Amino acid sequence: ALAALLFFGLFAAQKKSTASLRRSHTDLESKVRDLEKLNAALQIENTERQRAEHRAGEIERELQLTIDMIPVKITVYRADGARHSVNRPWRDYTGLSQEDIEGQSWAIIPHPDDLKASEAEWKVRLAKREPFQAEMRLRRRDGAYLSHMVHRVPLRERSASRVLTDE
């Protein structure tokens, strides 16, 4: 009788354990299916993001090619006053590469006598988000300074972090 009782007790415990393991297995299978769906959605999102980044890169290259074809020296400045980029006519005129000017201030090409007065006026105009224009001598690749009309136009959006200029 004791053996039968022990047998039925073990049988009941085994049955409970088996049922518990089946529930755990079913829960795990459900979680795996959910994770597989999430993974598939993330792969689709990642593919779409990569396509968008690729397209944005193509558009940026096309825009740079267009800007390089404009026969005016163009500079884009960051909000901190450092150069962000320049176009081909600017690089051809100054003899400086994009790498040479990266992060450099405006002060690397104007004549020192023209720089102080124009920069003071530019800061006033920039604060008011107004265009700026001045005649300045700019250093050419051979070291000669030639007069140029410089125009600077701050972008007018509130979040604008760049300034477009023709120099």
Side-chain angles (χ1 to χ4, degrees):
L2 186 58
L5 207 85
L6 183 59
F7 174 76
F8 284 115
L10 287 173
F11 181 74
Q14 181 186 9
K15 199 171 185 176
K16 270 185 163 179
S17 294
T18 301
S20 176
L21 284 172
R22 283 189 182 130
R23 281 192 305 275
S24 293
H25 182 69
T26 302
D27 288 348
L28 283 173
E29 284 178 338
S30 174
K31 288 180 182 180
V32 165
R33 282 190 299 276
D34 290 346
L35 287 172
E36 286 172 343
K37 288 177 186 175
L38 181 59
N39 186 40
L42 287 172
Q43 286 177 349
I44 290 168
E45 184 179 321
N46 187 44
T47 300
E48 290 172 358
R49 181 188 50 78
Q50 287 175 342
R51 281 185 195 138
E53 287 175 355
H54 178 73
R55 181 67 184 134
E58 287 175 348
I59 290 170
E60 188 173 329
R61 283 186 294 281
E62 289 172 12
L63 179 59
Q64 187 61 52
L65 288 172
T66 301
I67 291 170
D68 281 344
M69 296 302 294
I70 298 170
V72 172
K73 292 175 283 308
I74 296 175
T75 304
V76 178
Y77 290 92
R78 296 190 303 241
D80 65 1
R83 288 182 201 277
H84 176 268
S85 62
V86 295
N87 70 343
R88 178 162 309 283
W90 191 98
R91 293 189 305 270
D92 291 345
Y93 181 83
T94 63
L96 299 171
S97 70
Q98 181 66 37
E99 293 75 27
D100 292 335
I101 61 93
E102 186 64 35
Q104 295 292 321
S105 74
W106 156 253
I108 63 173
I109 65 164
H111 192 281
D113 293 343
D114 298 344
L115 185 61
K116 289 179 186 174
S118 65
E119 284 305 293
E121 178 63 21
W122 167 237
K123 287 178 183 179
V124 169
R125 297 294 183 112
L126 184 59
K128 294 179 180 181
R129 305 195 76 65
E130 296 176 350
F132 166 80
Q133 181 174 324
E135 188 172 337
M136 299 179 71
R137 292 168 287 174
L138 303 179
R139 185 173 39 86
R140 196 170 56 190
R141 72 181 321 134
D142 64 3
Y145 286 93
L146 300 177
S147 276
H148 291 266
M149 187 56 70
V150 173
H151 304 272
R152 291 183 181 173
V153 180
L155 297 178
R156 303 214 188 291
E157 299 127 20
R158 290 193 183 273
S159 64
S161 62
R162 297 192 177 144
V163 176
L164 299 178
T165 71
D166 79 33
E167 300 169 344

